[in-house]
Amino acid sequence: MHGAYKVPYASRGSILGATEATALGQLLESGESLSMGTWRERFERRFSEYAGTRYALSVTSGTVALELAVHLLDLAPGDEVVVTPQTFQATVQPLLDRQVRVRFCDIDRESLNMDPAVLKGLINDRTRAILLVHYGGWPAEMDEIVTMARERGILVVEDCAHALGARYDGRRPGSLGDIGCFSFHSSKNITTLGEGGMLTFDRDDWAERIDRLRSNEVDGVFVDGSASPLDAPELLPWMKYSSSVYRDACLGVRRSGTNATLSEAACVVGLHQLDRLESLVERRRAIAARLNAVVDRHPHARAGRPRPGVHHAQHLYTCFVSGPRGTREALVRGLDARGVEVQLRYFPLHLLPEWRSRGHEPGECPVAEELWFTEHVNLPCHPGLSDEQVDHLADALDAALEDARAVIENAESRTGSRTTVPSMKETSHAAH
Ligand SMILES: *Cc1c(COP(=O)(O)O)cnc(C)c1O
C-alpha cells in the first residue's frame, strides 16, 4: 500500500499547540537574540530537575549528544567499548572512525535491550565504556549493568532517545548510568522544533568541557590586550595604534570545538513540551495496552512487559510473531493491506556494511539476528493517533494475526507436524 495509510507510522511523536505557538510568537516579536537569551538555561534547568541529574546541557541533536558523550570518554587506541546492536545507527556511529575495538552485545528476547548475562562475558580489562539504548522506551536492566561497570571503572552511556518519560524503580533514564543522551527529533516523545538533543550527567568537569565544546571551545573570558595572544611582538604596531579598542575584542580559543548550541526558539518550545510530557506518554501507554490485549489473544504472538517498577515510555510498540517461514510476512502484509504502516526497527547494526567491513559478521548476536529476521514487528504508537485510528489499528492487528495463523496451520497440515522457525544458518544467509 502506498501514500495515505489509515494508521501511519509517526512522522511526529509529539503534540504541539497553542502554548508553544504563543510562546514562540512572543519570542519572535520581542526582538531579543534568538541564540543567546534566557530560554536555554530555563529549559536545561527544568530538564535536569526532571531527569534527576546535576547537569542538563542542550545540543543540536541526539546524534551530537552521543558524539560529545563519546568525546568525554577519552578513549585511547586499543580500548574496548561494548554496544548494543539493536538501535539506530547514531548510537554507535561516533565509534566508527576511532581506533577502538567495538564489541556488539546480544539482546534480551523480551525487551530487546542489552542482555546483562552476555555483557558479563564481553567485559575485560581493556573495556572502557558501555553504550546502550533503552529500546523503544523500555529501560535496560541498569542495576545489573551499572554494578558490573562500577566494579571495573567502566563508564556507561545511556542513549535515552526513546526513553524520555520512562521510569526505573523511581529514577529516570539519563540518571542511571554516567551520561544520558536525549533526542528531540520530530519523531521523538517531545520535540524542539524538529531537531535538538540533551546531555545529562553529574560531573562538574564534564559540564565545563561540554559547555566549551558546544560553543567553539572559547575560554568564555575575553583575553586582556596585555596578555596572549595580543602580546605577540608582530602585533605590537597595531596594538600601539589604538590598543584600548582591541582590549576586549579577542576571545581565546583552546582547541577545535564546534557550535552545537540549541536556539532560543527551540528551547522555549522544549520547555512547554516538558509540560505535556506526562500526558503524551500516558497516551502512548494506553495505545500499547490496547495492542497488548489483542496480542494476548493469539498464542503464536507475544509482546514483552517490563517487570514491576519499570515504567515503559512506549516510544515504540514492538510485538513478535513466531511460526514457519512466511508467518511474519503474512502479519506485515495483512496490516499493510488494512492501511496500517509497519516498520521493522532496527536492522542489527553489526550486519550493516560499515560494521561488516570492520570485521563484524552474522552469528555475533544470534538473538538480535533471529528476532529481526523472523519475528519482530513495530506498529504505530504515538499520541497523534485518534481514537478511531487506534480502534482500526487494534482490529487490523487482530485480523492480520489471523492471517499469520493461517500460514502456520497450512504448514502443519502439509507436513502433518508442528513446524519451527528457520534455522540460524538460514537466517544468517539472508543477511548477505
Ligand atoms: C533518534 C535517535 C538518535 C538520534 O537522534 P537525532 O536527534 O535524530 O540525531 C539516536 N539514537 C536513537 C536510538 C534514536 O532513536
Side-chain angles (χ1 to χ4, degrees):
M1 181 155 176
H2 297 286
Y5 281 96
K6 271 193 195 128
V7 187
Y9 211 84
S11 57
R12 259 196 207 179
S14 174
I15 295 189
L16 298 102
T19 49
E20 286 86 352
T22 304
L24 195 53
Q26 282 170 355
L27 172 65
L28 297 185
E29 285 171 12
S30 72
E32 297 291 325
S33 169
L34 293 170
S35 313
M36 290 144 75
T38 59
W39 291 110
R40 186 163 79 217
E41 213 183 300
R42 290 163 72 174
F43 180 41
E44 291 175 350
R45 199 177 325 121
R46 264 291 296 287
F47 200 94
S48 71
E49 283 163 13
Y50 178 85
T53 52
R54 285 186 65 170
Y55 295 101
L57 286 119
S58 61
V59 289
T60 43
S61 72
T63 300
V64 168
L66 286 153
E67 280 169 2
L68 296 184
V70 167
H71 186 94
L72 291 180
L73 301 177
D74 289 323
L75 297 171
D79 284 348
E80 297 195 3
V81 183
V82 185
V83 304
T84 177
Q86 185 38 266
T87 181
F88 180 60
Q89 280 135 284
T91 313
V92 191
Q93 213 166 15
L95 297 173
L96 256 182
D97 294 320
R98 290 185 182 251
Q99 313 236 319
V100 295
R101 174 149 184 205
V102 172
R103 289 179 179 267
F104 286 94
C105 175
D106 211 355
I107 56 172
D108 175 78
R109 286 186 172 272
E110 302 293 316
S111 64
L112 305 188
N113 283 323
M114 190 179 269
D115 182 340
V118 179
L119 173 64
K120 198 169 179 190
L122 293 176
I123 288 177
N124 60 46
D125 55 12
R126 290 182 302 278
T127 310
R128 289 282 95 79
I130 298 165
L131 252 85
L132 55 80
V133 72
H134 302 299
Y135 177 88
W138 179 337
E141 273 309 329
M142 295 302 283
D143 281 342
E144 263 182 87
I145 293 170
V146 172
T147 303
M148 239 186 280
R150 294 264 187 276
E151 280 168 3
R152 297 170 170 86
I154 296 168
L155 295 170
V156 180
V157 179
E158 302 170 73
D159 181 340
C160 303
H162 302 170
L164 189 57
R167 277 201 308 273
Y168 182 84
D169 294 330
R171 289 177 298 153
R172 297 285 182 189
S175 71
L176 306 168
D178 295 284
I179 308 173
C181 298
F182 292 84
S183 165
F184 309 127
H185 180 270
S186 180
S187 65
K188 301 294 157 63
N189 295 2
I190 67 167
T191 188
T192 49
L193 293 175
E195 300 284 1
M198 191 76 83
L199 282 143
T200 54
F201 47 72
D202 290 332
R203 274 172 59 168
D204 300 339
D205 59 328
W206 283 351
E208 206 181 307
R209 273 176 77 180
I210 294 294
D211 198 33
R212 282 212 215 99
L213 266 172
R214 70 174 175 178
S215 50
N216 303 93
E217 269 287 347
V218 292
D219 273 339
V221 288
F222 286 98
V223 175
D224 188 284
S226 65
S228 162
L230 290 186
D231 64 353
E234 58 272 29
L235 289 177
L236 212 55
W238 293 115
M239 294 303 293
K240 274 200 205 132
Y241 187 76
S242 173
S243 64
S244 67
V245 178
Y246 306 124
R247 240 162 236 284
D248 289 343
C250 180
L251 278 167
V253 172
R254 298 184 182 207
R255 59 185 81 81
S256 71
T258 186
N259 178 10
T261 51
L262 198 53
S263 80
E264 288 291 290
C267 290
V268 75
V269 168
L271 202 53
H272 287 285
Q273 285 276 282
L274 279 178
D275 288 337
R276 292 183 193 265
L277 177 59
E278 191 149 336
S279 71
L280 292 169
V281 170
E282 279 317 305
R283 176 65 176 163
R284 288 177 177 277
R285 289 170 56 81
I287 296 168
R290 182 82 186 276
L291 298 176
N292 281 341
V294 174
V295 169
D296 286 347
R297 289 203 289 273
H298 296 267
H300 55 297
R302 67 186 175 93
R305 316 284 156 88
R307 66 170 168 79
V310 177
H311 189 89
H312 199 316
Q314 296 293 167
H315 174 67
L316 302 177
Y317 180 82
T318 310
C319 62
F320 307 90
V321 65
S322 52
R325 189 187 297 248
T327 307
R328 199 245 315 248
E329 282 56 39
L331 171 63
V332 172
R333 274 201 309 274
L335 286 161
D336 195 76
R338 291 172 180 88
V340 174
E341 188 177 8
V342 175
Q343 305 247 341
L344 305 179
R345 290 202 169 156
Y346 298 89
F347 185 84
L349 289 189
H350 63 292
L351 301 182
L352 287 171
E354 60 267 35
W355 291 106
R356 297 278 304 281
S357 71
R358 285 164 175 77
H360 296 276
E361 53 184 22
E364 217 167 298
C365 298
V367 176
E369 294 167 24
E370 181 194 336
L371 292 180
W372 196 86
F373 282 105
T374 69
E375 293 197 359
H376 169 173
V377 166
N378 295 108
L379 301 177
C381 181
H382 53 94
L385 296 177
S386 67
D387 290 344
E388 293 71 34
Q389 284 175 308
V390 175
D391 289 342
H392 183 84
L393 173 58
D395 291 344
L397 177 60
D398 205 28
L401 282 169
E402 284 299 322
D403 298 347
R405 191 167 63 107
V407 173
I408 299 171
E409 283 172 358
N410 264 334
E412 281 172 1
S413 66
R414 265 205 315 277
T415 62
S417 69
R418 291 192 62 80
T419 49
T420 54
V421 296
S423 78
M424 280 312 304
K425 243 197 159 48
E426 271 178 285
T427 55
S428 296
H429 282 296
H432 286 249

